[in-house]
Amino acid sequence: MSQSSPPPADTLTDDDSDDLVFLDEIQPAPGSAALVHKVWRVMIIDDDEDVHSATTFALGNLEMQNRPLEFVHAFSAAQAREMLAVEQDIAVILLDVVMEQEDAGLQLVKFIRQDIGLNDVRIILRTGQPGYAPEIDAIRDYDINDYKTKSELTRIKLFTTVTAAIRSYEQIRAISASRRGLDLIVHASTELMALHGLQDFAAGVIIQIAGLLGLKPEGLICVRDDQHDRHQLVVIAGGGNYRAMVNQPVQQLGNAHIEQALQHTMQTRENTYHSDYTTLYFDGKSGRDFAAYLDTGSPLSEIDQRLLEVFCSNISVGLDNVMLVSHLHDFAFYDQLCKLPNRTRLVEILDELLGGQDMPGDPTLALVDIDHFAETNDALGHQFGDQLLIAVANRLQSQLGDVLAVARVGGDIFSVLGDGSRVNPEQILALFNQAFHIDGQDVQLSATVGLVRLSEYEGGGADALKDADIALKRAKMQQRAGHFYFSRSMGVEIRERVRMMHALRSAFEKTQLYVYYQPQIDFQTRRVAGAEALLRWQTEDGKFISPDRFIPIAEYSGMIIDLGEWVMRTACTELVRLHAAGFSDFTMAINVSQAQFRHPDFLDSLRRALADTNAPPHFVELEITESMAMEKPDMLIRMLEHIKQIGVSIAIDDFGTGFSSLSYLQRLKVDKLKIDRAFVTEITSSARGSSIAEMIIQLGRNLGLKVIAEGVEDERQAKILTDLGCPLAQGFLFARPMPAHELQGWLSARLASGTGAN
């Protein structure tokens, strides 16, 4: 007990006008906060029971900040310590300074602040003995919020002091709650950003909101997609009792209350707070807005509402980002037209399959290429073509999708992946027997299939796809509407071709390619009439790569354009050098590939080569193959007319190996026919071996064209050709192909020997 007697209860009144008000005289207004079971808890710590009675009598029937007071009583510092260890939400402590000891109150303050860490509670010291008042340093050090003598605490002053303390406590708690809430928001944002995928992120939002509010995760999140004229709300995540509603339209949930609440939130674009539920709005981009419905069970405090506003603003950005990532993922891994996995996703699926330790059954990959789709697309339009691709995708998916993986690899090529017993080329091709009905038309299609078996496959997904493509190309080369299985030998062949392609490009850059020249001889005089420029490849170790191996690769890869122009310039430069050396009637023959000849820049490149080297056009001869001459002859006739205007002559190489039309041959107005070496070889191999060569020589004579035989290797062949009237020849009998620095010496030696260079 304190050493002084407590003042009488009536000393807590100010004067006669400061009337006491009894509890039953106060009637809370309807709907006021007093009806809510929230109170301000005031703890009275005093060893005088009269002080407890007088304080509760003076304040018990009053409201402060729209809440009534609830009193907690302790009659000693020791008792207060025990109670404070378990009591919560004490707003104000009215503490007697002197109890068991003179500084018992101050020691209790230290215990409250430092030992148990109650920093929000407001402490008001009271003493009936002013001589025991704490010093200013003690008030500051112990975080004491107010000090009053009991004698000065009239009812009004007590009310004012406690009200001020409660206001201070409320503000501190609001700040603390906001700080804790913001910390939770930051934590929630961090946790959510670690989630991938829209549904996982949305489910995480529900969990984090529940954690922020201290509730169970009972709620759902929906998205509105206004694209493609779709305006329905679709549930993308749910928690608790709402988990089963995921991926369903809100309109189909059978709960009009939830549907109306969410629709209202979407329309008003703002959060709404009700007595037992809350709806939240998340602003999205590109017509995609989100809304959440949460069961709260009771109204949310103003602090909780403000925190949710901050949370929604923060998470809206996250939802947009996740939606963007989802769209990017969709675009990256799925075909937007047919809604099937694309090439990238197929490679991932193949990698997962091939990376597994045990592959079930006999997995097989098939590529399905629609025959002549480009022509259909060009004839009927791209929109019709798109509908046709969608129809093919739907048929493959509906017929095979239950047991096989169907994807669109690109263009008009689809893929089917699964067990070999089901990836059956005959069954796949049979799906195209029935016509496709598009825009009121029946369109009959066929397809070609390339397949690769994946069991014990050594490569990755990309390799498997390449090998299936190799098989598809082989199938298309053989016949349309057929199929072909990839074999290991095909892979070796293709990889060798790719290796050589890279080596050829490197050789061109490192100047390991050379132009050799094989002289052409006049049969009658044995004088040199000119030479054919031939491309040669010599590797760093001195080995020569046959043109039969690398020329087709150069044509296939497109390198022939640059190579051909380089050969043309090099040959023209050598022609000018020979003319300057005195061989003025020398003609240079230059091979031109089909790809080079049909290139839009060919005529300009020919003109540039002639102009830059000052080569005389009338001594330049371009050799084209017979197959080139017969393909699109009308276009070729126009091209040859331009070349003839430049002054360059034209020879048809390998003549007789194709199926030339004599009428077109006459219209082409070429200058020379070249008998293929195969016919020259036949001259001495059989009794009628010279018949084709004789026919070509006679045709040339009748059309007024020069004729040259290539591949002449012995005197018997030369004599027969001379007797047949062939004017020109080239071959090993006369000279092998030689580099430029040897050619001029060879010509000079023949001139000196009297054989003649021209």
Side-chain angles (χ1 to χ4, degrees):
M1 300 296 290
S2 63
Q3 296 180 1
S4 61
S5 300
D10 59 359
T11 61
L12 292 174
T13 64
D14 192 8
D15 51 31
D16 293 340
S17 63
D18 192 8
D19 297 330
L20 292 175
V21 181
F22 294 93
L23 290 175
D24 56 2
E25 291 179 311
I26 300 296
Q27 298 296 327
S32 71
L35 294 178
V36 181
H37 298 294
K38 290 187 177 181
V39 296
W40 298 117
R41 305 191 76 206
V42 178
M43 188 172 194
I44 305 171
I45 306 173
D46 202 300
D47 56 2
D48 190 336
E49 294 185 5
D50 290 340
V51 173
H52 287 263
S53 300
T55 303
T56 55
F57 187 75
L59 301 178
N61 60 346
L62 300 178
E63 282 191 358
M64 296 181 182
Q65 300 297 101
N66 296 319
R67 296 187 193 178
L69 303 181
E70 178 182 282
F71 296 97
V72 179
H73 300 275
F75 295 92
S76 68
Q79 184 184 11
R81 289 172 186 267
E82 295 176 359
M83 296 178 67
L84 287 169
V86 295
E87 293 287 348
Q88 297 183 5
D89 297 329
I90 302 296
V92 179
I93 295 177
L94 297 172
L95 175 59
D96 188 13
V97 176
V98 181
M99 287 180 287
E100 301 99 317
Q101 300 173 352
E102 293 181 356
D103 62 347
L106 294 179
Q107 291 299 321
L108 185 58
V109 172
K110 181 180 179 182
F111 169 80
I112 293 171
R113 297 302 191 202
Q114 297 182 5
D115 294 350
I116 61 176
L118 295 180
N119 297 314
D120 296 345
V121 63
R122 302 295 85 196
I123 299 176
I124 302 172
L125 287 184
R126 300 194 296 183
T127 182
Q129 304 178 45
Y132 291 99
E135 300 292 337
I136 294 176
D137 290 344
I139 294 176
R140 181 189 65 239
D141 294 341
Y142 288 117
D143 189 18
I144 297 170
N145 307 112
D146 204 351
Y147 167 72
K148 300 290 183 181
T149 62
K150 294 179 180 178
S151 61
E152 63 180 320
L153 278 177
T154 63
R155 176 177 177 273
I156 294 298
K157 289 180 179 179
L158 180 61
F159 175 81
T160 303
T161 299
V162 174
T163 299
I166 286 176
R167 285 176 178 168
S168 176
Y169 172 79
E170 183 181 29
Q171 292 171 354
I172 291 172
R173 288 301 297 268
I175 294 172
S176 298
S178 297
R179 184 184 297 113
R180 286 193 299 272
L182 291 175
D183 288 342
L184 286 173
I185 290 174
V186 172
H187 174 75
S189 300
T190 303
E191 293 289 322
L192 288 170
M193 291 307 137
L195 298 176
H196 300 287
L198 182 59
Q199 290 190 347
D200 287 345
F201 187 92
V205 169
I206 296 175
I207 293 172
Q208 296 298 339
I209 291 176
L212 187 66
L213 302 177
L215 302 172
K216 293 182 179 179
E218 292 281 345
L220 59 86
I221 290 183
C222 63
V223 61
R224 177 180 62 196
D225 186 1
D226 289 339
Q227 300 181 24
H228 310 297
D229 297 325
R230 293 178 299 182
H231 303 286
Q232 63 181 4
L233 301 180
V234 178
V235 179
I236 57 174
N241 295 326
Y242 300 92
R243 187 172 300 153
M245 299 179 178
V246 176
N247 293 327
Q248 297 184 40
V250 172
Q251 293 86 338
Q252 296 179 12
L253 298 182
N255 191 318
H257 160 67
I258 294 178
E259 179 184 351
Q260 292 172 5
L262 290 170
Q263 292 285 9
H264 179 265
T265 296
M266 284 291 194
Q267 292 170 3
T268 59
R269 302 170 66 88
E270 60 183 19
N271 300 345
T272 58
Y273 305 99
H274 298 273
S275 59
D276 58 351
Y277 73 92
T278 292
T279 57
L280 304 175
Y281 174 76
F282 302 93
D283 187 13
K285 301 293 188 298
S286 304
R288 283 180 172 267
D289 296 347
F290 302 85
Y293 178 91
L294 301 169
D295 283 339
T296 57
S298 61
L300 298 181
S301 68
E302 185 178 349
I303 291 177
D304 288 340
Q305 293 181 22
R306 289 201 300 266
L307 288 175
L308 284 179
E309 300 289 343
V310 175
F311 181 83
C312 290
S313 299
N314 195 36
I315 297 305
S316 291
V317 177
L319 280 168
D320 266 342
N321 291 339
V322 172
M323 180 65 76
L324 175 60
V325 171
S326 297
H327 277 306
L328 292 176
H329 181 274
D330 187 45
F331 276 103
F333 295 103
Y334 289 88
D335 175 67
Q336 299 304 299
L337 177 66
C338 299
K339 308 305 178 185
L340 293 174
N342 62 12
R343 174 185 288 269
T344 304
R345 178 59 186 141
L346 176 61
V347 171
E348 283 192 344
I349 295 172
L350 288 169
D351 283 336
E352 293 170 3
L353 177 65
L354 294 170
Q357 294 182 352
D358 297 318
M359 285 191 291
D362 178 27
T364 300
L365 172 66
L367 291 185
V368 184
D369 186 4
I370 303 174
D371 295 333
H372 308 296
F373 177 78
E375 291 87 339
T376 304
N377 204 36
D378 293 340
L380 301 177
H382 294 290
Q383 185 174 1
F384 186 92
D386 287 348
Q387 294 182 46
L388 194 56
L389 289 173
I390 293 171
V392 172
N394 290 340
R395 183 174 295 182
L396 290 173
Q397 184 70 15
S398 62
Q399 297 294 322
L400 306 174
D402 290 341
V403 292
L404 302 174
V406 179
R408 183 187 177 200
V409 178
D412 57 346
I413 300 178
F414 296 85
S415 72
V416 179
L417 173 65
D419 188 81
S421 61
R422 304 302 300 268
V423 183
N424 185 300
E426 287 81 9
Q427 292 181 6
I428 294 174
L429 293 174
L431 296 178
F432 292 85
N433 292 339
Q434 182 180 353
F436 293 86
H437 191 71
I438 308 294
D439 276 351
Q441 310 182 47
D442 284 337
V443 182
Q444 187 64 57
L445 295 177
S446 64
T448 305
V449 181
L451 305 99
V452 57
R453 293 184 173 92
L454 302 179
S455 56
E456 300 181 1
Y457 193 81
E458 296 179 356
D463 297 325
L465 192 55
K466 288 178 184 177
D467 290 345
D469 190 53
I470 291 171
L472 177 62
K473 285 183 171 62
R474 186 65 58 89
K476 293 169 70 174
M477 287 173 58
Q478 291 185 346
Q479 62 173 3
R480 297 280 181 168
H483 71 276
F484 200 92
Y485 277 92
F486 175 83
S487 65
R488 194 177 298 274
S489 61
M490 291 169 57
V492 172
E493 174 189 334
I494 294 298
R495 279 186 275 276
E496 174 61 21
R497 180 186 300 175
V498 172
R499 186 200 64 78
M500 183 168 285
M501 181 178 67
H502 290 298
L504 178 60
R505 182 174 287 110
S506 176
F508 186 39
E509 294 172 353
K510 295 178 179 179
T511 64
Q512 294 174 355
L513 299 177
Y514 306 93
V515 178
Y516 275 45
Y517 303 90
Q518 185 171 33
Q520 297 176 336
I521 307 299
D522 186 309
F523 261 131
Q524 296 296 327
T525 64
R526 294 298 174 103
R527 297 171 66 86
V528 180
E532 180 183 3
L534 302 167
L535 182 61
R536 293 292 182 263
W537 176 9
Q538 187 176 21
T539 61
E540 292 179 346
D541 58 3
K543 295 181 180 178
F544 281 91
I545 307 296
S546 170
D548 292 340
R549 291 182 61 194
F550 72 82
I551 292 297
I553 292 175
E555 292 177 337
Y556 177 79
S557 65
M559 277 191 288
I560 196 66
I561 305 300
D562 293 334
L563 285 175
E565 184 172 356
W566 175 75
V567 170
M568 186 186 299
R569 286 177 170 274
T570 303
C572 286
T573 300
E574 182 61 19
L575 175 64
V576 171
R577 193 170 73 89
L578 291 173
H579 277 218
F583 306 103
S584 56
D585 291 335
F586 195 92
T587 297
M588 186 66 72
I590 305 169
N591 285 286
V592 179
S593 75
Q594 182 169 353
Q596 182 186 3
F597 192 75
R598 300 201 183 284
H599 193 274
D601 192 44
F602 176 71
L603 279 177
D604 290 336
S605 67
L606 174 61
R607 292 189 182 99
R608 287 194 301 268
L610 294 172
D612 294 345
T613 61
N614 291 317
H618 291 85
F619 290 92
V620 175
E621 181 179 88
L622 300 183
E623 292 188 3
I624 62 174
T625 63
E626 184 180 6
S627 59
M628 287 171 56
M630 292 304 102
E631 185 178 339
K632 298 183 179 179
D634 291 335
M635 186 197 76
L636 182 69
I637 290 171
R638 292 191 297 271
M639 174 68 80
L640 294 183
E641 287 177 353
H642 291 300
I643 294 174
K644 300 284 282 185
Q645 289 173 5
I646 296 173
V648 174
S649 59
I650 300 293
I652 295 183
D653 195 9
D654 303 333
F655 188 77
T657 59
F659 302 93
S660 299
S661 168
L662 295 182
S663 61
Y664 275 123
L665 182 62
Q666 195 166 12
R667 289 177 59 196
L668 289 176
K669 298 180 180 179
V670 298
D671 302 284
K672 185 183 291 185
L673 301 179
K674 200 168 190 178
I675 304 173
D676 187 71
R677 67 177 61 250
F679 303 134
V680 173
T681 302
E682 288 179 359
I683 287 176
T684 56
S685 63
S686 64
R688 302 183 60 184
S690 63
S691 57
I692 295 180
E694 182 180 5
M695 184 173 59
I696 295 172
I697 294 169
Q698 185 63 40
L699 178 63
R701 184 182 297 116
N702 293 340
L703 295 177
L705 305 177
K706 296 178 182 179
V707 177
I708 183 171
E710 66 175 346
V712 180
E713 297 185 356
D714 57 47
E715 288 291 351
R716 290 182 60 201
Q717 294 172 346
K719 185 178 185 308
I720 294 174
L721 288 169
T722 302
D723 293 342
L724 291 174
C726 183
L728 300 169
Q730 72 182 77
F732 288 175
L733 175 62
F734 309 108
R736 291 178 177 271
M738 63 190 75
H741 67 274
E742 293 182 9
L743 177 61
Q744 187 169 342
W746 183 84
L747 291 172
S748 299
R750 286 182 63 87
L751 187 62
S753 66
T755 308
N758 51 20

